[in-house]
């Protein structure tokens, strides 16, 4: 800008963000200009900002713009700022003896030399851009083929053209590490395995050349398993579309590429290329595992120290605007190309009651508080999402120069805005609404197949009958996907209602049995759904009838007279709510069976945990993974729908020919029927 005396005044603008407040700082700059042009050549240079359109294109606004030209004599320097900083795609024009070249001042590094007329001969000017603190410097000098990476093109090419000089193709160092698989066991502070990370087809390569270095990480398969007992989603993260077969190497699940220049003369850490690719992933998590991860993230080695409870108000009464947090750093990173590929996540989340609520009083809902109880039922009813398609747009930037802290803030802001724009997908994938997004996607995919399959048969083949085959195939696909979508929506609505009614029974043992039964007994077809639904209905009715007697007795035994009357109330509620749960479970199992019938003949490989959860001994000493102990522990936990899940496994022995496994725990010996996962008999060491 210009002051009243016509002198140039430089105003620097800085935009900062702190929570919900955007700060725009304007202050007079007296030390550093944004750009500096150093003309160390033998010719005078005229520079000006390229207008958006030239007059020859018929743009009247461009013709009205005043183009300010600056002459830089030989062996002199000019401090420079854009005359029109609001224009997009700003370019600087170099004019040397009427020969012009457009230069991007944001593009650090050497550019193609400029050959210009000089009297009866010609001269060649080397062009280079480097960083000097916050100032971007355009350095012009006489072309020296010994120091430049450019050389004149061979004969027969375009006149006055240059090409990059040949660089020795043989690298100084090349290291490549290939691993068939890597497994990482995640252990929390209570010495419990909570997750297992599997990386298959892992390849790490590093190549060092004379002028640059490249680093690549390729992972063909990425999987994270939930190792907690009773996990609704045993597999948390896995690629959605990639085959799990080891020969599928064309589409890695993850690929990171980085090419770094070894040139240190430009004042920045020079990254020529950075790219991250993550294939479409399915992310499935339940509430129990989510809280486990939160507790693991707040890792505290001193488990005996009590953390103070911090009360947070819903609204802050203070109207003071917080001061923006300014991150100062002297390290500058420059990216020629910074590219994070588009990301797609199919997100599923389900709210649950934790199986160990009695050991976690901070999260256990208080049944004496009706508001807390109603909120818990509401959370159980509407807090589930199935396959919400979350799509994050790509982040592509060129000639990016910033500090590491600003790069982190940029990534946070980009993906935060992307996540906010996807809220409608979360709501549309709610189980309480029947997952309308999933229903719409299934039906529209079937409609596309009705037209696509006959078209393929007509175009790809000369036989007339292929058109009929395509029509039949497309119609069958439409019917299949429509039935799948409708039955899936019905099962999600009924399952949501069932979870809400289950929370209303106040019977934790009933809730745990139902939860484990649903995990283990997933109907594979319609008949199995009808059978399992009828079994669940009968079990719920029986539990409701027996609860009228068992609940008061259990309450009196544990809490005395008050517990007796609370047990009476639970029994009365259960005799009404549990049969209703049975009816809803019957509808859920039947609809799930119909849904799974549509895919029973599909050639799909069911995804399983990489390995069973690790068995950790009572002494809490971490030992090498033992597959036999893991099998025995898993068998004990799943016997009688988790009745013995809290027993400490010691050893087991399979009796040949009988289908019976003897399991030794710290308190008893069990004889387990493997086919039925039921205990035939058990002997307690305490004589119970």
């Amino acid at each position: 800008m210009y002051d009243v005396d016509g002198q140039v005044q430089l105003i620097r603008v800085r935009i900062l963000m702190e929570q919900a407040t955007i700060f725009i700082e304007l202050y007079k700059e007296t030390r550093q200009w944004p750009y500096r042009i150093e003309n160390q050549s033998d010719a005078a240079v005229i520079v000006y900002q390229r207008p958006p359109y030239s007059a020859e294109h018929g743009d009247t606004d461009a013709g009205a713009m005043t183009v300010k030209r600056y002459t830089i004599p030989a062996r002199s320097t000019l401090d420079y700022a854009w005359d029109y900083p609001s224009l997009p795609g700003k370019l600087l024009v170099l004019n040397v003896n009427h020969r012009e070249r457009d230069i991007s001042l944001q593009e650090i590094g050497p550019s193609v030399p400029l050959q210009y007329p000089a009297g009866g001969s010609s001269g060649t000017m080397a062009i280079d851009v480097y960083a000097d603190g916050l100032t971007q410097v355009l350095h012009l000098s006489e072309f020296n083929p010994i120091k430049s990476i450019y050389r004149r093109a061979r004969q027969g090419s375009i006149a006055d053209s240059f090409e990059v000089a040949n660089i020795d193709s043989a690298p100084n160092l090349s290291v490549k590490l290939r691993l068939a698989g890597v497994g990482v066991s995640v252990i929390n502070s209570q010495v419990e395995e909570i997750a297992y990370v599997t990386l298959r087809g892992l390849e790490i390569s590093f190549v060092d050349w004379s002028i640059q270095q490249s680093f690549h990480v390729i992972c063909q398969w990425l999987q994270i398993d939930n190792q907690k007992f009773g996990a609704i989603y045993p597999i948390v993260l896995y690629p959605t579309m990639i085959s799990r077969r080891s020969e599928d190497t064309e589409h890695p699940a993850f690929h990171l590429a980085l090419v770094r220049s070894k040139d240190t003369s430009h004042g920045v850490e020079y990254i020529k290329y950075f790219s991250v690719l993550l294939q479409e992933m399915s992310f499935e998590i339940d509430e129990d595992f989510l809280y486990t991860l939160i507790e693991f993230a707040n890792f505290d080695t001193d488990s005996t120290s009590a953390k103070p409870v911090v009360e947070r108000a819903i609204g802050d009464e203070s109207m003071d605007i917080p001061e923006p947090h300014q991150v100062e750093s002297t390290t500058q990173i420059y990216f020629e190309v910074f590219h994070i590929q588009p990301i797609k996540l199919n997100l599923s989340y389900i709210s649950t009651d934790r199986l160990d609520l009695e050991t976690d009083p901070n999260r256990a809902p208080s049944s004496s508080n009706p508001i807390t109880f109603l909120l818990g039922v509401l959370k159980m009813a509407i807090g589930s999402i199935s396959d919400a398609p979350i799509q994050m747009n790509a982040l592509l930037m060129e000639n990016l120069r910033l500090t590491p802290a600003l790069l982190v803030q940029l990534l946070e802001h980009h993906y935060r805005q992307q996540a906010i724009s996807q809220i409608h997908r979360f709501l549309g994938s709610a189980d309480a609404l029947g997952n309308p997004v999933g229903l719409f996607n299934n039906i529209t995919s079937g409609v596309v197949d009705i037209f696509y399959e006959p078209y393929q048969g007509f175009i790809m083949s000369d036989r007339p009958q292929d058109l009929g085959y395509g029509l039949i195939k497309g119609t069958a696909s439409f019917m299949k996907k429509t039935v799948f979508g409708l039955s899936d929506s019905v099962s999600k609505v009924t399952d949501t209602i069932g979870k809400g009614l289950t929370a209303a029974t106040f019977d934790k043992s009933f809730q745990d049995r139902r939860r484990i039964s649903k995990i283990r007994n997933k109907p594979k077809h319609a008949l199995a759904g009808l059978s399992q639904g009828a079994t669940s209905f009968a079990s719920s009715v029986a539990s409701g009838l027996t609860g009228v007697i068992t609940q008061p007795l259990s309450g009196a035994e544990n809490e005395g007279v008050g517990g007796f009357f609370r047990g009476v109330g639970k029994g009365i509620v259960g005799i009404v709510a549990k049969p209703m749960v049975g009816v809803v479970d019957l509808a859920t199992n039947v609809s799930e069976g119909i849904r799974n019938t549509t895919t029973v003949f599909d050639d799909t490989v069911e995804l399983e945990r990489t390995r069973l959860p690790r068995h950790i001994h009572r002494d809490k000493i971490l030992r090498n993974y033992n597959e036999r102990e893991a099998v025995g522990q898993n068998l004990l936990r799943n016997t009688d729908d988790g009745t013995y899940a809290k027993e400490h496994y010691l050893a087991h022995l399979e009796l040949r020919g009988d289908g019976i496994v003897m399991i030794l725990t710290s308190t008893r010996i069990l004889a387990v029927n493997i086919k039925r996962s039921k205990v035939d008999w058990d002997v307690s060491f305490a004589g119970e």
Side-chain angles (χ1 to χ4, degrees), residues 119-239:
S121 60
S122 64
T124 304
M125 180 179 294
I127 304 172
D128 193 11
V129 178
Y130 67 91
D132 182 14
L134 297 178
T135 302
Q136 207 98 326
V137 180
L138 173 61
H139 185 77
L140 308 175
S141 61
E142 291 300 312
F143 175 70
N144 186 344
I146 298 177
K147 297 181 179 180
S148 177
I149 65 172
Y150 292 96
R151 69 176 185 184
R152 298 186 185 278
R154 296 184 179 91
Q155 292 182 356
S157 59
I158 301 175
D160 300 338
S161 62
F162 293 83
E163 62 183 8
V164 178
N166 288 332
I167 302 172
D168 188 4
S169 59
N172 300 326
L173 175 66
S174 179
V175 179
K176 181 174 291 187
L177 176 64
R178 291 180 178 175
L179 300 174
V182 175
V184 179
S185 181
V186 181
I187 309 295
N188 63 10
S189 58
Q190 287 77 39
V191 197
E192 298 173 346
E193 185 179 50
I194 61 175
Y196 188 75
V197 182
T198 303
L199 306 174
R200 286 203 292 269
L202 185 64
E203 180 178 308
I204 303 174
S205 61
F206 173 79
V207 182
D208 179 77
W209 283 279
S210 58
I211 63 171
Q212 67 184 28
Q213 298 171 332
S214 67
F215 179 74
H216 290 264
V217 177
I218 298 176
C219 181
Q220 298 296 334
W221 181 261
L222 169 62
Q223 178 177 328
I224 301 178
D225 297 339
N226 180 356
Q227 300 294 77
K228 296 281 290 183
F229 170 65
I232 295 179
Y233 295 122
I235 304 174
V236 179
L237 183 70
Y238 60 92

Side-chain angles (χ1 to χ4, degrees), residues 443-459:
I443 293 179
T444 53
S445 177
V447 172
V448 170
D449 289 343
I450 288 181
F451 297 96
Y452 178 76
E453 294 294 343
Y455 175 78
Q456 284 289 101
F458 179 74
I459 295 298

Side-chain angles (χ1 to χ4, degrees), residues 420-627:
I420 292 174
S421 66
Q422 304 286 314
I423 290 179
H424 66 285
R425 297 182 183 270
F426 284 95
L427 300 177
S429 301
D431 287 356
L433 303 177
N435 190 8
V437 170
L439 175 62
F440 176 79
N441 290 338
N442 278 290
I443 293 179
T444 53
S445 177
V447 172
V448 170
D449 289 343
I450 288 181
F451 297 96
Y452 178 76
E453 294 294 343
Y455 175 78
Q456 284 289 101
F458 179 74
I459 295 298
M460 302 300 294
S461 175
D462 297 330
R463 299 184 305 172
Q465 61 267 32
D466 287 341
L467 176 61
Y469 293 152
L471 182 61
I472 295 174
K473 187 176 179 181
T475 304
S477 176
F478 170 74
M479 295 298 297
K480 170 185 171 182
K481 292 181 178 180
T482 301
V483 172
F484 179 93
L486 292 174
S487 57
D488 181 65
S489 294
V490 172
S491 67
K492 283 178 168 53
V493 173
T494 55
D495 185 55
T496 300
I497 297 173
K499 287 190 295 183
L501 292 174
T502 303
T505 62
F506 292 98
D507 189 345
K508 185 179 183 302
S509 61
F510 173 76
Q511 296 169 3
D512 292 347
R513 287 196 305 271
R514 177 182 179 273
R515 176 182 180 182
I516 296 174
S517 178
K518 286 183 66 64
I519 295 172
R520 291 182 54 194
N521 303 318
K522 294 184 179 297
K524 296 182 179 180
H525 47 78
L527 292 178
L530 181 61
S531 173
Q532 293 170 13
T535 302
S536 176
F537 174 73
S539 175
S540 299
V541 172
S543 178
L545 294 175
T546 58
V548 177
I549 300 175
T550 58
Q551 289 288 354
L553 295 178
S554 176
E557 181 180 356
N558 296 328
E559 303 178 27
V561 178
F564 174 81
F565 287 106
R566 278 191 290 271
V568 171
K570 291 181 180 180
I572 295 174
V573 172
I575 200 172
V576 177
K578 290 179 181 179
M580 295 175 63
V581 172
V583 172
V584 173
D585 283 349
L586 174 61
T588 301
N589 280 280
V590 171
S591 56
E592 284 185 357
I594 295 174
R595 179 194 65 188
N596 295 337
T597 301
T598 61
T599 60
V600 70
F601 296 109
D602 290 353
D603 185 17
T604 57
V605 180
E606 185 176 356
L607 195 60
E608 298 178 349
R609 281 172 169 160
T610 302
R611 72 181 193 190
L612 293 173
R614 174 194 297 269
H615 172 253
I616 298 178
H617 296 260
R618 297 183 65 186
D619 55 13
K620 299 296 183 181
I621 296 177
L622 197 61
R623 297 175 174 85
N624 291 336
Y625 180 79
N626 188 304
E627 185 177 1

